[in-house]
Amino acid sequence: MDPLQNPFSPGAGSPPPELAGRKPLLDQARITLGRVKAGRAERSFFLVGLRGVGKTVLLNKIRELADNQAYHTALIEAHEGKSLVELLLPALRQVLSALDRMAQLSEKAKRALRILKSFFNGVKLKVYDIEIGLDVEPEAGTADSGDLEADLPQLFIAVGEAAADRASAVAIIIDEMQYLSEQELSALIMAMHQISQRQLPLVLVGAGLPQLVALAGRSKSYAERLFQYPQIGPLLPAEAAEALQEPVQEQGVAFTPEALAMIIEQTQGYPYFLQEWGYQAWNLADASPIGTDVIARATAESIRRLDQNFFRVRFDRLTPREKYYLRALADMGDTTQRSGEIAERLHVKVQSIAPVRNGLIKKGMIYSPAHGDTAFTVPLFAAFMKRIMPPVA
Ligand SMILES: Nc1ncnc2c1ncn2[C@@H]1O[C@H](COP(=O)(O)OP(=O)(O)O)[C@@H](O)[C@H]1O
Ligand SMILES: [Mg+2]
């Protein structure tokens, strides 16, 4: 089939040709946004799921929904090496400037800008690549203590009040939230606590790997009641079939039912892999319908590509000890394992291997579904580990 017409889009955050199986979640998000804007009680939410399930795609969709409801949105992505403040300040500056430009002069928006400035002074950024460039005087005494957990709530309240003053609303959207430090997460949670008590039109929408739930709970025990954590998982077989069939049908092409079943078995319904398999199958097929012979070749090609890119970049960031740990985990199967048994397999004590395990959790490679349990955050990574490394003796 003509590669130029290939409808599939494997890649981090690439919008899929058919966003299958996510309608209930998006409907819920639309309602939440509407209620927050109307000043009604509603919990912010964090999308939680493994790599490649479609969290970033959903955040971008939610941003669109917010824009359609005349929200002002700040969308940021947390990084291992960057502070929340560094990411948040330029985004909030934009939001506030937009609010300030709306129709009449807004004293509240001006005040929030002054508080943003004092916040900036307070945290005393040791960064050189951000320049707040605000032509206002800081509001001394507000949000400038230098203690993030005290200052961030004050800043959020000011932003929320500015939005309310404009009959508008603000959505702060944060991807890869598991990379935030405990202190940053804690400050965010405290800020949202204050916002919800005042019913201000500001909503926080986040996404992260499964460890985010535990991180948030550890930062502040009331986080559990303050937020919802919708689980984003693989697609059900019918949804996965739709994600594959719809895009090709638009071009008069079809997969045979057997071909669909084969892709779904190989990918276990993980959105990223569905895109990859669909993409390869399209390029390899000579004619419609696309049958199992083509899928067998698409499987080989998809795995080769994943091994070179998606899996490989993650593998290359690991230390030798981390690789051994993951190889042992892979050997035990594709599912959740007891941390004690992994240690046994490596012939070491649980305590002595704990730093390695923690490092892997920080890097987003594994997570703990329950206390003392360990599992991969990247689907199909176990099979990759077995291809790339010999077993641990
Ligand atoms: N609901 C869906 N149906 C089909 N494909 C999807 C869906 N959600 C995401 N994808 C595809 O999956 C891949 C990974 O999406 P992404 O949002 O980057 O995942 P995550 O942020 O969870 O790692 C992208 O190629 C995207 O097009
Ligand atoms: Mg993502």
Side-chain angles (χ1 to χ4, degrees):
M1 238 61 87
D2 180 3
L4 280 180
Q5 303 297 327
N6 196 325
F8 294 103
S9 59
S14 315
E18 171 75 20
L19 184 65
R22 305 303 190 207
K23 189 166 178 303
L25 184 108
L26 290 171
D27 286 343
Q28 182 55 51
R30 197 178 291 113
I31 293 170
T32 298
L33 289 168
R35 287 180 57 88
V36 167
K37 192 164 180 218
R40 296 194 197 289
E42 192 63 57
R43 283 184 293 169
S44 287
F45 56 96
F46 297 158
L47 311 177
V48 177
L50 302 182
R51 294 241 177 251
V53 290
K55 299 179 298 296
T56 300
V57 162
L58 282 170
L59 286 187
N60 287 325
K61 264 278 178 246
I62 291 167
R63 190 214 179 122
E64 267 175 43
L65 294 178
D67 287 344
N68 291 342
Q69 297 193 29
Y71 262 77
H72 293 274
T73 50
L75 193 149
I76 62 176
E77 180 186 327
H79 286 276
E80 265 166 304
K82 266 203 165 167
S83 73
L84 173 66
V85 166
E86 252 176 286
L87 296 162
L88 205 51
L89 279 184
L92 285 182
R93 179 196 184 316
Q94 258 190 351
V95 163
L96 290 174
S97 298
L99 281 170
D100 188 38
R101 275 197 305 273
M102 283 171 74
Q104 331 89 329
L105 191 90
S106 168
E107 201 28 58
K108 287 273 167 46
K110 292 254 182 307
R111 173 160 187 268
L113 280 166
R114 290 198 300 274
I115 291 177
L116 187 70
K117 181 110 176 194
S118 46
F119 179 81
F120 181 78
N121 291 344
V123 291
K124 292 194 190 59
L125 282 183
K126 281 196 256 5
V127 281
Y128 312 103
D129 58 339
I130 99 163
E131 173 50 58
I132 192 81
L134 273 180
D135 196 15
V136 294
E137 284 302 310
E139 179 149 319
T142 306
D144 60 0
S145 73
D147 172 6
L148 194 63
E149 297 188 348
D151 293 350
L152 198 66
Q154 292 193 347
L155 176 61
F156 272 32
I157 290 170
V159 172
E161 285 176 346
D165 191 49
R166 281 293 189 223
S168 185
V170 171
I172 297 175
I173 306 179
I174 309 182
D175 204 356
E176 305 281 2
M177 276 189 83
Q178 75 282 349
Y179 288 139
L180 296 179
S181 72
E182 226 168 278
Q183 188 218 16
E184 290 170 336
L185 203 51
S186 166
L188 269 178
I189 294 166
M190 290 170 81
M192 290 315 295
H193 193 39
Q194 298 285 328
I195 289 291
S196 82
Q197 281 173 359
R198 289 170 174 73
Q199 305 215 337
L200 289 168
L202 187 155
V203 66
L204 176 65
V205 179
L209 294 173
Q211 48 261 55
L212 176 59
V213 183
L215 266 177
R218 223 180 308 135
S219 303
K220 283 280 163 291
S221 58
Y222 59 78
E224 209 168 314
R225 278 168 285 135
L226 202 56
F227 302 109
Q228 304 179 71
Y229 299 94
Q231 305 277 331
I232 311 300
L235 299 181
L236 299 173
E239 297 162 346
E242 189 189 312
L244 293 162
Q245 196 73 290
E246 285 288 324
V248 299
Q249 256 169 10
E250 270 172 40
Q251 302 192 46
V253 175
F255 287 101
T256 65
E258 296 75 25
L260 287 177
M262 201 165 161
I263 297 182
I264 292 167
E265 192 199 332
Q266 291 292 332
T267 60
Q268 297 171 27
Y270 279 98
Y272 186 96
F273 300 142
L274 289 172
Q275 296 300 323
E276 181 69 42
W277 260 254
Y279 184 84
Q280 299 302 340
W282 176 278
N283 286 352
L284 289 167
D286 295 317
S288 179
I290 304 174
T292 51
D293 53 327
V294 171
I295 305 307
R297 285 158 61 212
T299 296
E301 186 57 21
S302 298
I303 290 177
R304 201 182 62 78
R305 283 230 319 186
L306 289 169
D307 282 4
Q308 279 180 359
N309 305 299
F310 189 78
F311 294 141
R312 185 77 210 203
V313 293
R314 296 184 162 77
F315 183 80
D316 286 345
R317 286 203 314 245
L318 305 172
T319 66
R321 289 186 78 202
E322 289 170 342
K323 288 176 185 169
Y324 273 115
Y325 189 93
L326 292 187
R327 183 62 184 84
L329 176 59
D331 234 1
M332 298 167 74
D334 215 356
T335 51
T336 300
Q337 303 296 333
R338 298 293 298 165
S339 306
E341 285 167 20
I342 304 168
E344 247 170 60
R345 199 171 182 97
L346 288 162
H347 315 294
V348 294
K349 289 220 165 61
V350 178
Q351 300 92 306
S352 70
I353 202 74
V356 174
R357 181 172 178 271
N358 289 338
L360 284 165
I361 292 179
K362 275 224 179 69
K363 284 185 182 171
M365 293 304 302
I366 55 173
Y367 73 110
S368 183
H371 184 72
D373 282 349
T374 302
F376 284 105
T377 58
V378 179
L380 308 187
F381 206 83
F384 166 74
M385 286 305 298
K386 289 188 192 169
R387 286 194 292 276
I388 199 161
M389 253 178 100
V392 177

